[in-house]
Amino acid sequence: MNDAMLTVATALAQIRAGVEDLGGRPINGTLVLDNNIEFLPRGLVATAIEAKNCTKLRYLPKDLHAGRLDLSGCTGLTSIPEGLHCFELDLRGTSIEHLPLVHVQNRLNLSNNIHLKSLPRNLKVGSLVLRGCSALESLPEGIDVNFLDLTDCVNFRRWPSTGRISVGRIVARNCINMPNLPNWLGELAQLSVRGCSSLTELPAGLVVHSWLDLGNTEITSLPEASQVSQLRWNGVPIDERIAFQPETISVSEIIDEVNVERRRVLLERKGYEEFFAQAEAKELDRDRDTGGVRRLLQMPMPNDEDLVCLAVQCPSTDRRYVLRVPPTMRSCHQAAAWIAGFDNPDDYKLLKET
């Protein structure tokens, strides 16, 4: 062993004793820190540092060097030093608002940083994970990544005018306020915009070599020049007719579909109202509420549970709704109580609209 190296045990003992400077001597192994650590000394060099859930940790030394740095759950950490170099950086669940320019070669994970508002210009990293960063509204100019995960970034709205995201994958599930994708988007292996309910179109020339998931979006067609190997709807492979012409889906096509997941997609695309308007469903129960007649309808589904829905009318708008309920429902009142969140129908008392 190199005499200049520190063992993990020696390094931990010095950190616990409050030593302020380790002198840049590399640590031979993975340094796993105690949860009650309040600061890290200067001159800390290690192949890997695990500081998970060190909630008292408030800052990092500017000369910190680590190949893999895990700071997940360090809720007291509000900033990190600019220019930090590492191979992999995990900042899940910290309290960082503004990330400075860092140099992460492989993977930067900022998931569930609910206070994160900005990323640095010209950020370059192999994989960038931003799941659940609910305060983040935009990505920085000059961003350069291969893999990007924006899942549940519900306030994300703006792409930069320049950037590079190509070769790998973009997952932007449930970015409900994202109105578009950037025109400069490169070729991708996979793209998921599932649940992006504000998204109405895709950029011209989009190339996706593996699959594109557009479930629960408002996209009505693919651009003419686009190249997409496979379409998916909420993870289930479909074709362009199912995606963009749901009115052509017939009741018999739904019932005869042997793949249960695909059948559920066909039913979702057609809509329960249209399905029951055309199907010869069995009426299990009928009564009246403030909106008028309610009907509990049942349709057997081969190799799956029965499809049971409650047909109601809104007393304010007169619009009809067909709402799916568990197949165990046997009365309109029981189904309405379940929809309202009551396990016991006897506890459900409907208040007349005023």
Side-chain angles (χ1 to χ4, degrees), residues 273-287:
E273 294 179 56
E274 283 298 315
F275 177 82
F276 277 106
Q278 300 174 22
E280 297 179 359
K282 178 181 179 180
E283 184 177 280
L284 297 177
D285 187 38
R286 176 191 291 248
D287 67 7

Side-chain angles (χ1 to χ4, degrees), residues 194 212-215 230-239 242 259-266 268:
R194 175 177 174 178
L212 163 64
D213 194 327
L214 40 68
Q230 182 191 90
L231 288 177
R232 293 184 180 183
W233 189 273
N234 294 338
V236 179
I238 58 171
D239 55 33
I242 304 304
N259 184 290
V260 173
E261 291 300 319
R262 182 175 168 84
R263 181 195 297 151
R264 290 176 181 175
V265 169
L266 293 175
E268 179 186 344

Side-chain angles (χ1 to χ4, degrees), residues 29 41 59 70 98 167 212 340 344:
Y59 70 92
D70 187 348
H98 305 284
V167 180
L212 163 64
N344 185 354

Side-chain angles (χ1 to χ4, degrees), residues 53-307:
N53 302 317
C54 292
T55 57
K56 296 182 180 181
L57 186 63
R58 296 290 185 268
Y59 70 92
L60 304 177
K62 293 182 179 180
D63 61 351
L64 174 65
H65 289 276
R68 181 172 59 85
L69 181 57
D70 187 348
L71 298 165
S72 58
C74 295
T75 54
L77 196 62
T78 59
S79 65
I80 61 174
E82 184 173 0
L84 179 67
H85 284 259
C86 55
F87 181 76
E88 184 173 318
L89 178 58
D90 192 337
L91 293 168
R92 289 175 294 166
T94 61
S95 299
I96 295 172
E97 291 189 22
H98 305 284
L99 185 75
L101 185 61
V102 293
H103 305 283
V104 181
Q105 183 178 346
N106 183 34
R107 180 182 173 89
L108 173 57
N109 193 339
L110 287 151
S111 296
N112 300 319
N113 270 266
I114 60 175
H115 303 291
L116 183 67
K117 296 181 179 179
S118 68
L119 299 171
R121 292 174 63 93
N122 302 316
L123 176 64
K124 184 175 182 179
V125 62
S127 178
L128 178 60
V129 185
L130 297 166
R131 282 175 169 256
C133 293
S134 54
L136 187 68
E137 297 185 6
S138 63
L139 291 178
E141 291 293 331
I143 188 172
D144 187 345
V145 302
N146 292 328
F147 297 89
L148 175 65
D149 190 343
L150 288 166
T151 298
D152 295 327
C153 290
V154 293
N155 284 304
F156 178 76
R157 292 172 169 81
R158 295 185 300 278
W159 295 90
S161 58
T162 59
R164 189 194 73 88
I165 304 174
S166 63
V167 180
R169 175 178 61 247
I170 294 179
V171 179
R173 289 180 56 177
N174 303 323
C175 293
I176 57 176
N177 285 300
M178 184 180 74
N180 64 327
L181 292 170
N183 291 325
W184 47 259
L185 202 60
E187 295 185 13
L188 299 171
Q190 297 102 25
L191 171 62
S192 176
V193 289
R194 175 177 174 178
C196 296
S197 53
S198 298
L199 190 62
T200 60
E201 61 182 6
L202 297 168
L206 176 69
V207 177
V208 182
H209 293 291
S210 182
W211 52 261
L212 163 64
D213 194 327
L214 40 68
N216 301 112
T217 67
E218 295 299 318
I219 299 170
T220 57
S221 65
L222 295 177
E224 290 186 7
S226 65
Q227 300 177 40
V228 178
S229 295
Q230 182 191 90
L231 288 177
R232 293 184 180 183
W233 189 273
N234 294 338
V236 179
I238 58 171
D239 55 33
E240 289 192 42
R241 180 180 70 88
I242 304 304
F244 307 126
Q245 297 175 302
E247 69 280 0
T248 66
I249 302 171
S250 66
V251 170
S252 60
E253 181 182 1
I254 294 173
I255 294 175
D256 293 341
E257 174 58 55
V258 295
N259 184 290
V260 173
E261 291 300 319
R262 182 175 168 84
R263 181 195 297 151
R264 290 176 181 175
V265 169
L266 293 175
L267 183 59
E268 179 186 344
R269 296 301 293 134
K270 186 172 185 64
Y272 296 129
E273 294 179 56
E274 283 298 315
F275 177 82
F276 277 106
Q278 300 174 22
E280 297 179 359
K282 178 181 179 180
E283 184 177 280
L284 297 177
D285 187 38
R286 176 191 291 248
D287 67 7
R288 297 184 67 88
D289 68 355
T290 55
V293 175
R294 297 189 301 191
R295 301 170 66 211
L296 187 65
L297 305 172
Q298 180 190 57
M299 189 72 185
M301 289 290 172
N303 302 315
D304 198 4
E305 64 184 20
D306 291 347
L307 177 64

